[in-house]
Amino acid sequence: MKDNMHRLAPLPCDYLQPSTRYFSVTMYQGSVAVKDPVLLNFDMVSSIELIEHLESAELEMFPEVVFGFMAPALVVISTPNFDFNHLLPKSTLFRHPDHKFEWRRVEFQNWGLNVADRYDYSVEFTGVGSPPADAEDVGFCTQIAVFTRNYMETVEMVNNKSGTKHVYKTVFQIVHPSLQDEKYLRIAVVNETMHQVERIKRSLWNDGRPVEKEGDPQHLNTERKHCPFSDANKWRKNYAPSEAETNAQKAGCGPVLRKNKVYIPLQYLFCIPKLQQLCGTFEVLLKMIAGKIHLNHDGSAVKVKVEVDHDASLISES
């Protein structure tokens, strides 16, 4: 367990796209034949290729621990289908030397139906690994039972079980990055803001510098000069703005080009659905980008300087 526990750690992509909800992983060491309060309050239990490794005494206790004590809403159990074994290459009696038994389909289904009836669950049987066309009667290579609880477990029912003695040992525990952590939320908001700023800037700019009408920087001269410039609606080309963005644009709160700088009002950025979803409120947006993104003098807009190199390629710096 210690050699492999770090497989539960976050992957690099988990830091790039944190979960929206709090997410932690804990590995315990303990027997499925023993009750422990750490097993309570779970929605689902999966037992994948496990029960065939249990001794008879453990197998007898397994339903009571999982269905009686843990009592999750959903239980998924898989185990080898003995009926399929003769189709496997180099077939032996059991598929693994540690297997104490391997059930035929009728045995597994009888066991599952009895457990479901005893603990008030419904059960459906399925599997993975289809047999060859000429041996369809043997069923799946691995058989699966999906149990669904038929009753609603109350807080009182859980509390009555929580006094059980703790016997499981914690081997490994880690909290995955999530947007519930302000550190990761700030990273996500700053990255998304800069992504949107870059998108808007490149849509406004068309391989060159804009020229303003004298005395009115809000309205831009669309005459093409040495470096052609796209009109103020060019930013819509490959992006379908939300209704809030469109309304902000109509109200004069949209992005503005002034000489070699692009100004994008924060109120306009907050109209973008992804940023609204991340931040929830405009105040959170202000807090998350504070000191991380260059703003204009009154802090109302993101300011981006735009330059063009000799090859007319777009270069920008915040």
Side-chain angles (χ1 to χ4, degrees), residues 262-267 269 294-303:
V262 177
Y263 295 83
I264 306 172
L266 295 181
Q267 288 284 2
L269 285 169
H294 188 61
L295 305 179
N296 64 346
H297 70 281
D298 65 0
S300 65
V302 175
K303 182 173 71 172

Side-chain angles (χ1 to χ4, degrees), residues 103-116 123-126 143-145 147:
W103 280 333
R104 299 182 182 277
R105 283 175 299 164
V106 64
E107 293 174 305
F108 181 53
Q109 291 176 12
N110 285 339
W111 178 85
L113 289 169
N114 288 334
V115 167
V123 61
E124 294 182 3
F125 298 96
T126 181
Q143 49 192 339
I144 297 174
F147 297 84

Side-chain angles (χ1 to χ4, degrees), residues 54-114:
L54 302 181
E55 301 286 357
S56 57
E58 295 170 327
L59 181 62
E60 185 175 349
M61 279 298 300
F62 177 80
E64 174 57 28
V65 173
V66 175
F67 296 92
F69 183 72
M70 297 181 72
L74 190 71
V75 180
V76 179
I77 297 176
S78 77
T79 190
N81 172 17
F82 184 80
D83 294 333
F84 197 98
N85 284 2
H86 70 277
L87 298 175
L88 299 174
K90 299 181 180 179
S91 176
T92 58
L93 179 62
F94 294 152
R95 301 182 192 181
H96 190 278
D98 186 58
H99 287 184
K100 309 305 186 295
F101 61 89
E102 289 180 7
W103 280 333
R104 299 182 182 277
R105 283 175 299 164
V106 64
E107 293 174 305
F108 181 53
Q109 291 176 12
N110 285 339
W111 178 85
L113 289 169
N114 288 334

Side-chain angles (χ1 to χ4, degrees), residues 152-291:
M152 181 67 69
E153 190 172 49
T154 64
V155 174
E156 183 180 4
M157 295 168 68
V158 175
N159 290 339
N160 289 338
K161 296 183 280 189
S162 60
T164 308
K165 181 181 177 181
H166 287 274
V167 291
Y168 274 42
K169 177 184 176 182
T170 302
V171 177
F172 181 73
Q173 187 171 30
I174 191 166
V175 177
H176 281 233
S178 81
L179 298 180
Q180 301 303 312
D181 186 327
E182 187 173 296
K183 176 177 66 175
Y184 295 112
L185 178 60
R186 175 173 283 106
I187 293 171
V189 171
V190 169
N191 287 343
E192 183 62 26
T193 300
M194 292 310 301
H195 167 71
Q196 296 296 341
V197 167
E198 182 70 13
R199 174 187 63 79
I200 294 169
K201 178 206 67 182
R202 288 186 174 274
S203 296
L204 282 169
W205 196 275
N206 183 21
D207 295 332
R209 296 178 148 216
V211 178
E212 303 176 13
K213 285 184 178 180
E214 290 186 7
D216 189 3
Q218 297 287 340
H219 298 86
L220 303 170
N221 187 350
T222 58
E223 293 180 6
R224 296 185 177 273
K225 298 202 175 183
H226 176 64
C227 291
F229 148 72
S230 61
D231 69 310
N233 287 323
K234 177 73 174 179
W235 64 277
R236 298 172 181 268
K237 182 177 179 182
N238 296 314
Y239 177 77
S242 66
E243 182 179 354
E245 288 176 83
T246 302
N247 291 338
Q249 182 77 11
K250 291 178 179 177
C253 298
V256 175
L257 285 160
R258 295 179 182 174
K259 296 183 179 179
N260 66 334
K261 294 182 177 65
V262 177
Y263 295 83
I264 306 172
L266 295 181
Q267 288 284 2
Y268 177 82
L269 285 169
F270 186 67
C271 291
I272 296 172
K274 182 64 180 292
L275 283 172
Q276 279 193 359
Q277 181 184 4
L278 282 170
C279 300
T281 66
F282 183 67
E283 289 69 26
V284 171
L285 173 63
L286 295 178
K287 179 181 179 181
M288 293 298 104
I289 67 173

